[in-house]
Amino acid sequence: MKIGIVCYPTFGGSGVLATELGKALAQKGHLVHFITYQQPVRLGSFTPNIFYHEVQVPTYPLFDFPPYETALASTLVDVIKNNDLDLLHVHYAIPHASAAYMAKQILKKEGKDIPVITTLHGTDITLVGRDKTYAPVVTFSINESDAITAVSENLKAETLSHFHIEKEIDVILNFVDVSRFNRKPIDAFRKVIAPNGERILLHASNFRKIKRVQDVVKIFAEVNKKIPSKLLFVGDGPERNTAEDLSRELGVCDEIRFVGKQEQMEDILAIADLFLLTSEYESFGLAALEAMAAGVPVVSTNAGGLGEINIDGITGHLSNVGDVENMTAQALQILKDDATLKGFKERAAQHSQKFDIHFVVPQYEKLYERFL
Ligand code: GMT
């Protein structure tokens, strides 16, 4: 198949998922065309079946807001026609589903019918998409898609309760390439972070308000009082300064390292003992699943779809949003001794296998085949 993929090329979960899907499809012999404003961060080195088309957005003095959606729709028309694509798969509804709709209509006039599949990821539905300024366009363009998928049962339910959706939504759960995260820790790296054998806690996100990173710092400060430990913060975003300030206030800044955006997550996860995800909402929590694949247990909130991947008492623990005290107790319970930690690590790794790329990618292929 010749497949076009539209996504955000940044470190966000939807872009990561879309890029990993494209890479997996290419490995299976499909020709995959990424159409984005920048090369997706997870794309990596040259692969014969993968093509990349940059969306250029020319500026003009009149434009206070360069019209990205128009540029994307025009690029889609061009790429679909010139490469004779069979279908278009867009990730994150805004503005990808409406740009795809526009491209589809233009191509229809020229006699080409291009099926459009929209995958809903999270904030496109639960936060941004619900905003009155976007909702009518989001609802319309989702309904005009030939197929709609959601990355968790929870996100499907959220979509149906907040939008008037006229089509079936297929749930295709997010996935992870388990073999990629099955890494041995690099001893020298572990020693740099935890020179005295301290436990290593980890949080990775885009540091948006919804992630409640201040809760991560508070939990860590309490854990560190009882169990010598270090905290790694991976990623960057608007709440990073708040987290840094709080870590100074709580006197734990020397035990915390902010390592910024990182591409080699598998090497970082390999040295971690516990992943903390304190979000107010996660449609799925791909970062937590990647942690589990690396054998790292997860202490998370029970928000959104997190309970669909993190099994309380088995792969980690779940807590109500903002219940720092309970999450601290849960973290201490997992980290208290090597035998308990080992059990959680093994079960987390084992459970992640249910979400392995090899089970999930064929579900997308099956969906595509419905339209060919
Ligand atoms: O908000 C983010 O973390 C980024 C966002 C995105 O769309 O890039 O992530 C959403 O999609 C991920 C991949 O499907 C999910 O794992 C995240 O849970 C989801 N984020 C939220 O729902 C807040």
Side-chain angles (χ1 to χ4, degrees):
M1 281 181 241
K2 286 180 266 177
I3 302 156
I5 292 186
V6 178
C7 64
Y8 281 102
T10 50
F11 281 88
S14 63
V16 167
L17 196 280
T19 311
E20 296 295 347
L21 173 62
K23 280 159 59 179
L25 290 166
Q27 257 182 19
K28 295 183 96 174
H30 302 290
L31 300 182
V32 179
H33 294 253
F34 283 95
I35 305 132
T36 60
Y37 59 81
Q38 186 182 291
Q39 188 147 321
V41 285
R42 283 264 183 117
L43 204 49
S45 52
F46 174 77
T47 315
N49 288 356
I50 291 184
F51 304 84
Y52 167 63
H53 309 268
E54 187 171 308
V55 181
Q56 308 270 356
V57 193
T59 53
Y60 183 68
L62 192 64
F63 298 157
D64 278 341
F65 307 99
Y68 175 66
E69 193 176 331
T70 306
L72 173 60
S74 298
T75 310
L76 289 176
V77 171
D78 182 64
V79 173
I80 292 165
K81 262 196 325 204
N82 288 323
N83 298 281
D84 197 21
L85 298 192
D86 296 315
L87 64 87
L88 189 59
H89 188 173
V90 303
H91 293 258
Y92 203 93
I94 309 166
H96 302 151
S98 42
Y101 169 75
M102 178 64 96
K104 186 179 168 86
Q105 295 312 311
I106 294 169
L107 289 163
K108 201 179 255 172
K109 284 241 177 230
E110 298 181 17
K112 181 166 176 79
D113 184 25
I114 183 87
V116 171
I117 291 162
T118 298
T119 291
L120 310 172
H121 277 273
T123 47
D124 46 351
I125 292 303
T126 56
L127 201 70
V128 198
R130 257 179 232 179
D131 193 297
K132 224 174 126 185
T133 42
Y134 296 120
V137 175
V138 173
T139 312
F140 175 80
S141 50
I142 291 176
N143 277 322
E144 288 296 318
S145 306
D146 294 280
I148 311 161
T149 76
V151 299
S152 67
E153 290 293 344
N154 174 270
L155 186 61
K156 175 178 175 175
E158 286 284 333
T159 310
L160 293 176
S161 69
H162 288 93
F163 295 86
H164 182 69
I165 300 296
E166 296 153 358
K167 283 201 172 89
E168 184 56 32
I169 300 179
D170 289 290
V171 173
I172 301 184
L173 298 173
N174 279 341
F175 60 81
V176 64
D177 182 353
V178 171
S179 65
R180 182 183 149 196
F181 287 91
N182 186 6
R183 287 273 179 109
K184 281 216 155 58
I186 302 169
D187 282 342
F189 179 32
R190 203 179 204 289
K191 276 220 163 72
V192 169
I193 303 298
N196 301 308
E198 296 92 338
R199 299 283 197 219
I200 299 177
L201 285 74
L202 180 70
H203 170 83
S205 76
N206 50 21
F207 286 63
R208 281 196 259 139
K209 261 206 159 29
I210 202 167
K211 306 289 173 180
R212 296 181 63 97
V213 286
Q214 72 281 15
D215 287 357
V216 176
V217 179
K218 289 180 196 164
I219 295 165
F220 174 72
E222 289 306 311
V223 168
N224 191 48
K225 282 180 189 162
K226 305 229 165 79
I227 297 177
S229 41
K230 300 282 180 185
L231 172 63
L232 281 181
F233 266 122
V234 181
D236 217 330
E239 293 297 303
R240 176 178 166 163
N241 285 346
T242 317
E244 285 191 27
D245 288 348
L246 187 61
S247 69
R248 278 188 282 270
E249 212 176 284
L250 298 178
V252 285
C253 62
D254 290 343
E255 319 306 329
I256 300 181
R257 269 174 103 133
F258 291 83
V259 296
K261 295 176 181 169
Q262 295 288 331
E263 282 175 41
Q264 293 303 315
M265 271 314 282
E266 54 273 39
D267 290 332
I268 298 174
L269 284 164
I271 64 159
D273 296 306
L274 184 66
F275 190 82
L276 296 175
L277 193 58
T278 49
S279 308
E280 208 169 293
Y281 180 81
E282 288 294 339
S283 65
F284 184 88
L286 186 59
L289 178 62
E290 290 189 341
M292 284 162 54
V296 182
V298 175
V299 164
S300 73
T301 57
N302 53 14
L306 282 169
E308 291 177 47
I309 55 167
N310 187 17
I311 311 302
D312 202 14
I314 308 284
T315 61
H317 284 296
L318 295 167
S319 244
N320 290 334
V321 175
D323 194 346
V324 168
E325 203 181 317
N326 198 40
M327 286 188 265
T328 303
Q330 293 172 336
L332 287 168
Q333 198 266 328
I334 293 173
L335 297 170
K336 67 181 177 197
D337 59 64
D338 288 348
T340 308
L341 180 58
K342 191 165 173 267
F344 273 100
K345 283 187 169 195
E346 282 170 2
R347 291 190 299 271
Q350 201 179 8
H351 185 65
S352 74
Q353 286 175 11
K354 289 193 177 160
F355 300 85
D356 189 53
I357 192 164
H358 298 109
F359 299 126
V360 182
V361 172
Q363 295 177 39
Y364 279 113
E365 285 177 293
K366 210 167 148 203
L367 176 69
Y368 297 163
E369 276 157 18
R370 277 195 349 223
F371 299 97
L372 298 179

